[in-house]
């Protein structure tokens, strides 16, 4: 962390940022939770599943403070954006986030994401059936509903 005058960071109200802390004549500028910070933290400190970190721990690595629920949401959004740009971030609900150490780790993570995507599509299909009931096109039979 560096001590500076009022900066662009201090002027923003983005919820993922800590407010500047007064310290004498200057303000203490607290590190931001950014895509680059998340990427750097994962690639440097979280190589391999055995070094996976939960969202709150990633916030601490990036900002030096413990994360809250909003920060965890921001981490998920940043990871999604990084992945959409081709950054290989692995995750699992029980382990957290990590940078793949092997091709096999990346393959397992992609398979996990594929299963989640297929399950989401299955749920959408089941909901569409009920939508037809709501608009009067079908009669709803709970026995035929997918579990």
């Amino acid at each position: 962390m560096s001590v500076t005058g009022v900066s662009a960071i201090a002027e923003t109200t983005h919820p993922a940022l800590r407010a500047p802390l007064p310290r004498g004549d200057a303000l203490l500028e607290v590190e931001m939770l950014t895509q680059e910070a998340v990427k750097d933290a994962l690639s440097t400190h979280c190589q391999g599943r055995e070094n996976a970190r939960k969202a709150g721990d990633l916030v601490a690595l990036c900002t030096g403070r413990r994360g809250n629920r909003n920060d965890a949401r921001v981490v998920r959004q940043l990871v999604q954006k990084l992945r959409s740009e081709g950054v290989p971030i692995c995750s699992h609900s029980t382990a957290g986030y990590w940078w793949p150490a092997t091709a096999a780790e990346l393959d397992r993570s992609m398979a996990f994401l594929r299963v989640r995507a297929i399950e989401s599509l299955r749920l959408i299909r089941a909901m569409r059936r009920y939508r037809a009931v709501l608009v009067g096109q079908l009669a709803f039979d709970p026995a035929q509903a997918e579990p």
Side-chain angles (χ1 to χ4, degrees), residues 80-125:
Q80 181 178 353
K81 177 79 170 127
L82 286 164
R83 284 175 171 164
S84 73
E85 295 173 1
V87 177
I89 298 173
C90 297
S91 67
H92 194 277
S93 56
T94 59
Y97 299 100
W98 72 95
W99 195 267
T102 66
E105 278 187 344
L106 186 57
D107 290 343
R108 281 191 298 272
S109 189
M110 289 187 302
F112 173 73
L113 291 172
R114 188 177 304 111
V115 166
R116 277 188 16 196
I118 291 169
E119 177 62 16
S120 292
L121 291 172
R122 189 187 72 72
L123 293 173
I124 290 169
R125 183 183 67 208

Side-chain angles (χ1 to χ4, degrees), residues 42 45-54 61 95 97-99 105:
L42 288 168
H45 302 288
C46 306
Q47 292 220 356
R49 184 180 173 131
E50 66 276 5
N51 295 309
R53 303 283 177 98
K54 297 285 188 177
L61 279 173
Y97 299 100
W98 72 95
W99 195 267
E105 278 187 344

Side-chain angles (χ1 to χ4, degrees), residues 127-145:
M127 293 172 79
R128 277 190 181 152
R129 289 188 187 131
Y130 189 71
R131 185 183 186 289
V133 171
L134 291 174
V135 296
Q137 294 175 355
L138 293 175
F140 182 66
D141 181 0
Q144 292 181 350

Side-chain angles (χ1 to χ4, degrees), residues 6 12 32 60 83 145:
V6 177
T12 184
M32 291 179 25
R83 284 175 171 164

